[in-house]
Amino acid sequence: MPPRRDGAGGSELDDRFDVPLRGVGVDAETRCEHYDTDQDVIAIEFPCCGVYHPCFECHEALADHDPRRWPADQFDEPAVLCGVCGERLSVAAYLDSDHTCPACAAAFNPGCASHAHLYFDTE
Protein backbone atom coordinates (compact mmCIF):
# COMPACT_ATOMS: atom_id res chain seq x y z
CA MET A 1 0.00 0.00 0.00
CA PRO A 2 1.39 3.45 -0.85
CA PRO A 3 2.41 5.47 2.19
CA ARG A 4 0.07 8.07 3.62
CA ARG A 5 1.10 11.69 3.64
CA ASP A 6 0.54 13.49 6.94
CA GLY A 7 -2.37 15.85 6.60
CA ALA A 8 -3.30 14.64 3.11
CA GLY A 9 -6.80 15.81 2.36
CA GLY A 10 -8.38 17.30 5.45
CA SER A 11 -10.18 20.58 5.01
CA GLU A 12 -7.97 21.58 2.08
CA LEU A 13 -8.19 20.11 -1.39
CA ASP A 14 -5.57 17.43 -1.99
CA ASP A 15 -3.29 18.67 -4.78
CA ARG A 16 -2.07 15.17 -5.69
CA PHE A 17 -5.18 14.56 -7.78
CA ASP A 18 -6.49 16.11 -11.00
CA VAL A 19 -9.94 16.55 -9.42
CA PRO A 20 -11.01 18.45 -6.30
CA LEU A 21 -10.59 15.82 -3.57
CA ARG A 22 -10.83 15.88 0.22
CA GLY A 23 -10.56 13.04 2.69
CA VAL A 24 -9.24 11.95 6.06
CA GLY A 25 -5.77 10.39 5.88
CA VAL A 26 -5.87 9.93 2.10
CA ASP A 27 -3.06 8.03 0.42
CA ALA A 28 -1.83 8.37 -3.17
CA GLU A 29 -4.50 5.92 -4.45
CA THR A 30 -7.46 7.53 -2.58
CA ARG A 31 -7.64 5.10 0.33
CA CYS A 32 -8.73 6.87 3.49
CA GLU A 33 -8.71 6.40 7.24
CA HIS A 34 -12.13 4.73 7.04
CA TYR A 35 -11.56 2.36 4.11
CA ASP A 36 -7.98 1.33 3.40
CA THR A 37 -7.81 -2.15 1.94
CA ASP A 38 -5.87 -2.78 -1.27
CA GLN A 39 -9.18 -2.54 -3.19
CA ASP A 40 -10.40 0.75 -1.68
CA VAL A 41 -9.11 2.83 -4.57
CA ILE A 42 -11.97 5.03 -5.70
CA ALA A 43 -13.25 8.44 -4.76
CA ILE A 44 -16.73 9.67 -5.59
CA GLU A 45 -17.74 13.19 -6.51
CA PHE A 46 -20.62 14.37 -4.36
CA PRO A 47 -23.10 16.36 -6.47
CA CYS A 48 -23.89 18.63 -3.54
CA CYS A 49 -20.43 20.21 -3.57
CA GLY A 50 -18.57 18.98 -6.65
CA VAL A 51 -15.79 17.57 -4.46
CA TYR A 52 -14.56 13.97 -4.57
CA HIS A 53 -14.33 12.08 -1.28
CA PRO A 54 -13.01 8.53 -0.76
CA CYS A 55 -16.12 7.68 1.25
CA PHE A 56 -19.30 9.00 2.81
CA GLU A 57 -17.57 9.19 6.20
CA CYS A 58 -14.93 11.55 4.79
CA HIS A 59 -17.72 13.75 3.39
CA GLU A 60 -19.47 13.70 6.76
CA ALA A 61 -16.25 14.64 8.57
CA LEU A 62 -15.18 17.44 6.23
CA ALA A 63 -18.20 18.97 4.48
CA ASP A 64 -20.35 21.65 6.07
CA HIS A 65 -23.55 20.33 4.50
CA ASP A 66 -25.61 17.17 4.08
CA PRO A 67 -24.63 14.84 1.23
CA ARG A 68 -26.71 14.43 -1.91
CA ARG A 69 -26.79 11.29 -4.05
CA TRP A 70 -26.40 11.13 -7.81
CA PRO A 71 -29.89 10.93 -9.37
CA ALA A 72 -30.46 8.10 -11.84
CA ASP A 73 -30.95 10.54 -14.72
CA GLN A 74 -27.35 11.76 -14.23
CA PHE A 75 -25.59 8.38 -14.15
CA ASP A 76 -23.79 9.35 -17.37
CA GLU A 77 -21.78 11.98 -15.46
CA PRO A 78 -18.09 11.20 -14.75
CA ALA A 79 -18.29 11.03 -10.96
CA VAL A 80 -16.02 8.15 -9.87
CA LEU A 81 -12.24 8.45 -9.81
CA CYS A 82 -10.00 5.40 -10.03
CA GLY A 83 -7.26 6.17 -7.55
CA VAL A 84 -4.84 3.84 -9.33
CA CYS A 85 -4.84 5.32 -12.84
CA GLY A 86 -6.80 8.57 -12.46
CA GLU A 87 -9.55 7.56 -14.91
CA ARG A 88 -12.89 9.24 -14.29
CA LEU A 89 -15.80 6.84 -14.74
CA SER A 90 -19.44 7.68 -15.20
CA VAL A 91 -21.68 6.41 -12.44
CA ALA A 92 -23.16 3.89 -14.90
CA ALA A 93 -19.70 2.65 -15.96
CA TYR A 94 -18.67 2.26 -12.32
CA LEU A 95 -21.85 0.41 -11.37
CA ASP A 96 -21.42 -1.87 -14.42
CA SER A 97 -17.66 -2.39 -13.93
CA ASP A 98 -17.83 -5.72 -12.11
CA HIS A 99 -15.54 -4.19 -9.47
CA THR A 100 -12.67 -3.61 -11.91
CA CYS A 101 -11.44 -0.38 -13.47
CA PRO A 102 -12.14 -0.57 -17.21
CA ALA A 103 -9.05 1.55 -17.92
CA CYS A 104 -6.34 -0.14 -15.82
CA ALA A 105 -7.95 -3.33 -14.47
CA ALA A 106 -7.40 -2.31 -10.82
CA ALA A 107 -9.67 -4.22 -8.48
CA PHE A 108 -12.39 -2.20 -6.74
CA ASN A 109 -13.79 -3.32 -3.40
CA PRO A 110 -16.94 -5.40 -4.06
CA GLY A 111 -18.12 -4.55 -0.53
CA CYS A 112 -18.79 -0.99 -1.68
CA ALA A 113 -21.93 -2.27 -3.40
CA SER A 114 -23.57 -2.60 0.01
CA HIS A 115 -23.53 1.16 0.48
CA ALA A 116 -23.88 2.36 -3.12
CA HIS A 117 -27.31 3.71 -2.13
CA LEU A 118 -25.50 6.38 -0.08
CA TYR A 119 -23.91 7.79 -3.25
CA PHE A 120 -26.26 6.86 -6.07
CA ASP A 121 -30.05 6.79 -6.40
CA THR A 122 -30.15 3.05 -7.02
CA GLU A 123 -33.43 2.33 -5.25
Side-chain angles (χ1 to χ4, degrees), residues 72-92:
D73 66 352
Q74 293 182 2
F75 279 11
D76 60 336
E77 294 293 322
V80 180
L81 176 72
C82 174
V84 175
C85 71
E87 182 75 14
R88 290 176 57 208
L89 310 174
S90 70
V91 174

Side-chain angles (χ1 to χ4, degrees), residues 2 14 17 25 27 32 40-42 44 56 62 67 76 81 84 86 102 107:
D14 194 322
F17 303 97
D27 74 8
C32 68
D40 291 314
V41 292
I42 66 156
I44 300 169
F56 65 94
L62 300 172
D76 60 336
L81 176 72
V84 175

Side-chain angles (χ1 to χ4, degrees), residues 5-43:
R5 183 175 82 181
D6 289 342
S11 61
E12 300 297 318
L13 292 178
D14 194 322
D15 63 3
R16 294 175 294 170
F17 303 97
D18 290 335
V19 298
L21 188 141
R22 283 191 190 102
V24 179
V26 178
D27 74 8
E29 292 186 340
T30 72
R31 292 174 196 89
C32 68
E33 175 180 291
H34 310 106
Y35 296 95
D36 65 354
T37 72
D38 289 345
Q39 296 177 331
D40 291 314
V41 292
I42 66 156

Side-chain angles (χ1 to χ4, degrees), residues 35-75:
Y35 296 95
D36 65 354
T37 72
D38 289 345
Q39 296 177 331
D40 291 314
V41 292
I42 66 156
I44 300 169
E45 180 182 10
F46 280 73
C48 46
C49 54
V51 174
Y52 286 74
H53 292 83
C55 73
F56 65 94
E57 292 181 57
C58 284
H59 185 277
E60 184 177 298
L62 300 172
D64 61 358
H65 56 272
D66 291 333
R68 276 195 355 220
R69 300 181 301 165
W70 282 97
D73 66 352
Q74 293 182 2
F75 279 11

